[in-house]
Amino acid sequence: MSNLDRQATPSVCGGRGFVVAEPVRELLAPRRVQLGESTEVRRLLPNLGRRMVGAWAFVDHYGPDDIADEPGMQVPPHPHMGLQTVSWLHDGEVLHRDSLGSLQTVRPRELGLMTSGRAISHSEESPKEHARLLHGAQLWVALPDAHRHVEPHFQHHVDLPVVAAPGLSATVILGELDGAASPGTAYTPIVGADLSLTGGTETRLPLDPDFEYAVLSMSGEAEVDGVPVLPGSMLYLGCGRTELPLRAVSDAGLMLLGGEPFEEELVMFWNFIARSGEEIVQARKDWEEGSRFGEVKGYDGARLSAPELPTTPLKPRGRVR
């Protein structure tokens, strides 16, 4: 998934100074962004009030959209560096192509995990013959300095571990939860889990007090630590929790995101995560000149061009609004 914003501005994130070291209940409202011709997403991260949750640096929620007579998702070839993309669906299919030659259809509750490392490009689209509904989330995970130049690779995992309790089923997408570990490669202490709750369920989910957490509502009506969280919104929870009270008013779908606070300060611009403005400038130049990020073959259409850089220098300190 790409950030298609033609007026992209740099976002400063990471660093312990942005982390709330105690339990909080901070409800984040989404920003609506058009993704291609027929898909609108609700962007939760980066947010004016919250830049990251652990290593999670970007969160889009989309659907459920009726695309029976629409092309659905159409994201042309575009570059990434310094991050992992996590594709997660509740309904529909997304066809992934990348500059490594990967060609994979990702379906509901399957993990599509692309590690960009030093450089990769990819496209995402709804197959020509596709299901009526499209509903999912696209997330980015920032890579730590020690691993941000790894060779790019793509993973597709169909069988993921599940943590179960009465009225609750939690699929571990990335990292670990309650002793269950995802097969997806993670480079920092992290957790991403898809929670399915039956209406009327009241339960408590075990958490790591050293992690910061947030919960994204995908569907249904649920309360997270007593706070109603509607679909398309996200509740930031801070650190210091050993468990999380959950109550499902109706059947509900949530995503738990968490991890150790990301200590390094980052500069994020368009689809790049870097450590300096100079790295961003070079990455944009390399993409526009057709070097370094490779070529996505088989996509029917032109690749994306990079937005213009701001005239002010990009620096990894201080908030950029």
Side-chain angles (χ1 to χ4, degrees):
M1 185 78 73
S2 169
N3 178 2
L4 301 187
D5 191 350
R6 306 312 301 165
Q7 304 297 321
T9 56
S11 173
V12 177
C13 47
R16 290 273 179 171
F18 291 81
V19 177
V20 179
E22 61 186 6
V24 295
R25 302 174 186 86
E26 182 182 303
L27 193 61
L28 304 181
R31 179 167 64 94
R32 294 183 180 273
V33 178
Q34 196 67 30
L35 189 72
E37 296 181 1
S38 58
T39 303
E40 182 184 77
V41 302
R42 290 164 288 279
R43 184 153 298 162
L44 283 311
L45 288 180
N47 189 293
L48 286 179
R50 181 62 45 198
R51 295 301 189 186
M52 295 179 71
V53 177
W56 300 99
F58 183 95
V59 176
D60 274 354
H61 172 251
Y62 53 90
D65 295 326
D66 187 337
I67 59 169
D69 299 317
E70 302 288 344
M73 182 179 293
Q74 298 294 324
V75 183
H78 58 278
H80 285 290
M81 75 171 192
L83 58 91
Q84 294 175 289
T85 65
V86 176
S87 298
W88 189 253
L89 289 166
H90 277 196
D91 294 288
E93 309 87 23
V94 171
L95 179 62
H96 166 96
R97 303 175 192 264
D98 63 41
S99 52
L100 304 175
S102 308
L103 179 63
Q104 181 64 57
T105 300
V106 180
R107 297 181 172 85
R109 270 73 179 193
E110 298 177 357
L111 172 61
L113 177 64
M114 186 182 75
T115 301
S116 67
R118 57 179 178 77
I120 198 171
S121 57
H122 76 140
S123 65
E124 291 176 295
E125 58 188 307
S126 297
K128 286 184 170 52
E129 300 294 328
H130 54 255
R132 184 180 190 89
L133 295 179
L134 179 65
H135 182 205
Q138 183 74 16
L139 314 99
W140 297 356
V141 179
L143 291 171
D145 190 61
H147 299 287
R148 67 190 181 101
H149 298 297
V150 299
E151 289 298 310
H153 56 276
F154 177 76
Q155 296 173 265
H156 177 235
H157 296 287
V158 175
D159 296 318
L160 297 169
V162 175
V163 174
L168 168 69
S169 176
T171 301
V172 185
I173 302 167
L174 197 65
E176 297 187 23
L177 177 67
D178 198 26
S182 165
T185 301
Y187 293 91
T188 57
I190 196 171
V191 64
D194 184 84
L195 313 179
S196 295
L197 293 130
T198 303
T201 297
E202 293 190 38
T203 189
R204 291 177 178 268
L205 197 65
L207 300 182
D208 185 331
D210 293 330
F211 281 18
E212 62 176 338
Y213 289 95
V215 170
L216 168 67
S217 175
M218 297 287 287
S219 61
E221 296 183 53
E223 293 180 0
V224 179
D225 197 14
V227 178
V229 184
L230 299 177
S233 62
M234 187 163 74
L235 184 68
Y236 176 71
L237 296 162
C239 299
R241 295 174 180 269
T242 58
E243 60 180 15
L244 181 62
L246 300 171
R247 176 177 175 266
V249 179
S250 67
D251 290 355
L254 307 171
M255 290 189 74
L256 175 74
L257 306 175
E260 282 190 359
F262 200 86
E263 293 192 4
E264 301 170 38
E265 291 189 335
L266 311 173
V267 176
M268 184 162 65
F269 176 77
W270 196 42
N271 299 300
F272 308 131
I273 290 183
R275 298 305 188 277
S276 70
E278 291 77 13
E279 289 181 3
I280 295 289
V281 171
Q282 187 62 53
R284 183 188 182 281
K285 181 174 183 289
D286 291 345
W287 173 247
E288 291 298 288
E289 293 180 349
S291 63
R292 179 178 167 191
F293 291 94
E295 179 184 358
V296 179
K297 296 181 179 180
Y299 181 83
D300 184 15
R303 70 181 199 158
L304 288 175
S305 60
E308 293 296 323
L309 287 163
T311 56
T312 54
L314 308 181
K315 296 180 180 180
R317 288 191 179 275
R319 290 181 181 267
V320 177
R321 298 288 186 177

